[in-house]
């Protein structure tokens, strides 16, 4: 467990890198710190293993104030993985993995056995890789070793500073999956820094969003996606990600609000002209405030053939399937599918008609509102 | 005096072919084998002692310079100044500053000369170790000494070795001038040869010292290769 209590870091040049941070990272939790470049993520991480000292406040690791520990002891019991990977080029894979065991004075056999065990954990054949040098490995393999090196003495806490930032997307994806599996096996408290929202959402139990050295939101990925605290968070997430599953969107956010209405005494022809005029494939039928149901274009076509264009709507069977405006689009879409209807009436909490969800319009809403092409997403550090 | 003797030597030599001189040189090698061996031995000492002491001074000083700005600036500056003084001037300077003539002032002058390449390479070698490697080393809980021993020195060693090589080869050449202040060595044949206008004597100093420089360079080149960690070569 890692606890920040009022932690502030002001550099010599008076840059306030971290400003009054209060946060608890639970034991076994995968916590991802995210935010734009320069918001203080690295500084925060490096204060945990005391590569940087807080200007004020304190940090507790497993209940103990880090200042009361010797810095080297603290660090040896805490894995540290960085973007540059930084395997020691003059050491073999085995020696690199054994750096901390070596500092702790393990015997040769113990070190070797542990290195073999760890290599096997990420499906690297010890007989092949143990004596290789970092230069003989691909970037992805190197960072796998970087992670193993951090796990060598089975520390409780793992600090990772953009560990996959230098890898190509394919390798990064693969390492995400492996890290997830690894985390299931080793159950570490992981504090992971990134500026890549996809990475954060994929890996995190909880996400800590930072801006200008301050916490903006600390929540589960789902919660952040669904309820961004403010405009900054929403922007940071990017609209296309925010609606990662379009069916999670609430009906009221996307429903058709313009509902042509007719009384039940109107004729089918009137209904058709109104649809044509409003360019919709439905109308609502209501006598005053008394909502009778929806009439879809599809149904109208059938009725015109059956009873003739002059007959009034009043005699027709209307669509009375409704959906609450606070439900998700998933519910709405399922309801459309199950009832085989072409349109749903959207009712508010008080049972008043407030909108419609129409089958014919679904592709439009997907294209325009849920998966807009222009939503470029958060790609680079600077953006 | 030096210019005069040089002029007359050149004038004399211009009248002979180089192959004639070489024959006379080989005769001399035979007849004065003992002198040659003694001079060679002296020359090796003129190189080994200053370079050896320079290594002992320059490596720790170079390491300290990477740790403390207060050491870095004076150390590197003093060493460059020492290097800037022309070598013959530096040797000659030993006399007025009261060190007199003989081997000891020669050793001291050559030492001043030998320090810089080793100091500079130690400093740049260690300072040049990738910052991320140092951060990783500290982040894993190495003390400063452990980082120096396990990370910085192994990685900087080929560069330090290159400095030692440069220094040694340079001092083999400069040590020839030590004869002017009575330091002995192969240079004494050259000095005498110039005085007596004997090209065979000049060659007796010049050829072995040139060969010594070439062989030392080759051997230290191999050592440099040998101390380069395998992981940097693959
Ligand atoms: N050693 C330092 N001295 C002065 N300012 C620094 C130092 N390190 C980082 N900063 C500044 O502190 C802020 C936070 O930096 P950092 O923690 O590296 O951010 P991030 O990792 O989120 O990109 C930035 O404005 C950065 O320029
Ligand atoms: Mg950073």
């Amino acid at each position: 467990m890692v606890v920040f209590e009022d932690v502030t870091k002001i550099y010599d040049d008076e840059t306030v890198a971290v400003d009054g941070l209060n946060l608890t990272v639970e034991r076994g939790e995968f916590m991802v710190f995210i935010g734009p470049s320069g918001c203080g993520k690295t500084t925060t991480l490096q204060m945990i293993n005391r590569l940087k000292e807080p200007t004020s406040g304190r940090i507790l690791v497993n209940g103990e104030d880090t200042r009361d520990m010797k810095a080297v002891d603290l660090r040896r019991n805490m894995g540290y993985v960085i973007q540059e990977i930084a395997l020691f080029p003059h050491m073999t894979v085995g020696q690199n993995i054994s750096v901390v065991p070596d500092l702790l004075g393990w015997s040769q056999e113990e070190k070797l056995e542990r290195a073999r065990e760890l290599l096997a954990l990420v499906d690297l054949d010890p007989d092949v890789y143990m004596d290789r040098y970092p230069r003989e490995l691909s970037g992805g393999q190197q960072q796998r070793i970087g992670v193993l090196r951090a796990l060598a003495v089975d520390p409780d806490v793992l600090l990772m500073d953009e560990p996959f930032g230098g890898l190509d997307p394919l390798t990064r994806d693969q390492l995400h999956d492996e890290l997830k599996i690894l985390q299931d096996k080793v159950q570490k408290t992981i504090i992971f820094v990134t500026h890549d929202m996809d990475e954060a959402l994929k890996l995190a139990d909880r996400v800590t969003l930072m801006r200008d050295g301050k916490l903006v939101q600390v929540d589960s990925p789902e919660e952040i996606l669904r309820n961004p605290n403010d405009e900054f968070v929403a922007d940071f997430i990017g609209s296309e990600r925010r609606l990662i599953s379009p069916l999670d969107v609430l009906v009221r956010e996307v429903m058709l609000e313009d509902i042509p209405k007719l009384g039940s005494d109107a004729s089918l022809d009137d209904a058709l002209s109104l649809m044509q005029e409003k360019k919709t494939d439905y109308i609502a039928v209501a006598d005053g405030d008394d909502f009778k149901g929806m009439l879809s274009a599809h149904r109208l076509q059938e009725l015109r053939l059956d009873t003739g264009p002059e007959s009034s709507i009043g005699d027709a069977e209307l669509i009375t399937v409704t959906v609450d405006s606070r439900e998700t689009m998933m519910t709405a879409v399922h309801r459309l599918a199950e009832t085989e209807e072409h349109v749903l009436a959207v009712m508010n909490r008080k049972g008043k008609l407030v909108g419609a969800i129409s089958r014919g319009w679904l592709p439009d809403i997907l294209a325009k509102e849920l998966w807009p092409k222009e939503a470029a997403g958060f790609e680079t550090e600077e953006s | 005096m030096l210019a005069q003797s040089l002029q007359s030597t050149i004038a004399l030599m211009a009248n002979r072919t180089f192959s004639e001189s070489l024959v006379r040189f080989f005769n001399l090698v035979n007849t004065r084998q003992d002198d040659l061996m003694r001079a060679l031995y002296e020359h090796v000492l003129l190189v080994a002692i200053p370079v050896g002491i320079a290594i002992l001074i320059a490596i720790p000083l170079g390491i300290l310079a990477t740790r403390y700005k207060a050491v870095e600036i004076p150390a590197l500056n003093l060493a460059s100044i020492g290097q800037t003084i022309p070598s013959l001037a530096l040797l000659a300077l030993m006399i007025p500053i009261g060190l007199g003539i003989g081997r000891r002032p020669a050793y001291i002058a050559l030492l001043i000369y030998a320090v810089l390449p080793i100091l500079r390479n130690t400093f740049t070698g260690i300072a040049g170790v990738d910052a991320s490697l140092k951060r990783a080393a500290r982040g894993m809980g190495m003390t400063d000494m452990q980082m120096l021993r396990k990370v910085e020195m192994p990685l900087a060693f080929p560069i330090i070795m290159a400095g030692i090589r440069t220094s040694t080869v340079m001092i083999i050449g400069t040590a020839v001038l030590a004869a002017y202040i009575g330091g002995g060595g192969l240079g004494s044949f050259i000095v005498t040869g110039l005085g007596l206008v004997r090209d065979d004597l000049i060659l007796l100093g010049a050829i072995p010292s040139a060969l010594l420089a070439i062989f030392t360079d080759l051997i230290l080149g191999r050592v440099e290769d040998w101390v380069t960690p395998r992981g940097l070569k693959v």
Side-chain angles (χ1 to χ4, degrees), chain A residues 36-43 83 161-162 193 195 381:
Chain A
S37 179
C39 71
K41 307 179 294 291
T42 296
T43 304
Q83 175 170 5
D161 196 346
E162 309 205 17
V193 164
H195 62 265
E381 272 209 296

Side-chain angles (χ1 to χ4, degrees), chain A residues 46 49 51 72 75-76 78 80 82 84 86-91 99-100 102-103 131 133 135-136 149, chain B residues 130 132-143 146 150-152 154-155 229-234:
Chain A
Q46 291 186 344
N49 66 2
L51 285 178
V72 290
R75 293 173 191 151
R76 287 170 192 178
M78 204 175 266
Y80 185 48
I82 56 179
E84 298 89 338
L87 293 182
F88 299 121
H90 58 297
M91 298 183 190
V99 166
V100 182
D102 194 51
L103 295 177
D131 296 323
Y133 284 95
R135 283 205 184 177
E136 299 170 299
R149 180 172 70 172
Chain B
D130 207 291
S132 67
L133 293 180
K134 295 179 195 173
R135 188 147 41 85
R138 287 215 300 136
M140 282 188 289
M142 286 191 195
T143 61
Q146 285 166 334
K150 291 169 189 283
V151 180
E152 292 174 304
L155 291 174
R230 223 166 71 74
L232 298 186
K233 286 189 276 198
V234 289

Side-chain angles (χ1 to χ4, degrees), chain A residues 76 86-88 91-119 129-132 134 144-154, chain B residues 136-137 140-142 146 150-151:
Chain A
R76 287 170 192 178
L87 293 182
F88 299 121
M91 298 183 190
T92 62
V93 164
Q95 289 167 334
N96 265 290
I97 296 177
S98 303
V99 166
V100 182
D102 194 51
L103 295 177
L104 295 177
W106 290 20
S107 74
Q108 200 58 38
E109 298 81 69
E110 285 173 317
K111 285 189 284 189
L112 203 67
E113 193 189 315
R114 180 60 178 158
R116 295 187 74 88
E117 189 181 303
L118 284 165
L119 282 169
Y129 290 99
M130 189 70 95
D131 296 323
R132 289 223 181 151
R144 282 185 185 87
I145 304 304
V147 174
L148 297 186
R149 180 172 70 172
L151 290 172
V153 298
D154 210 13
Chain B
M140 282 188 289
M142 286 191 195
Q146 285 166 334
K150 291 169 189 283
V151 180

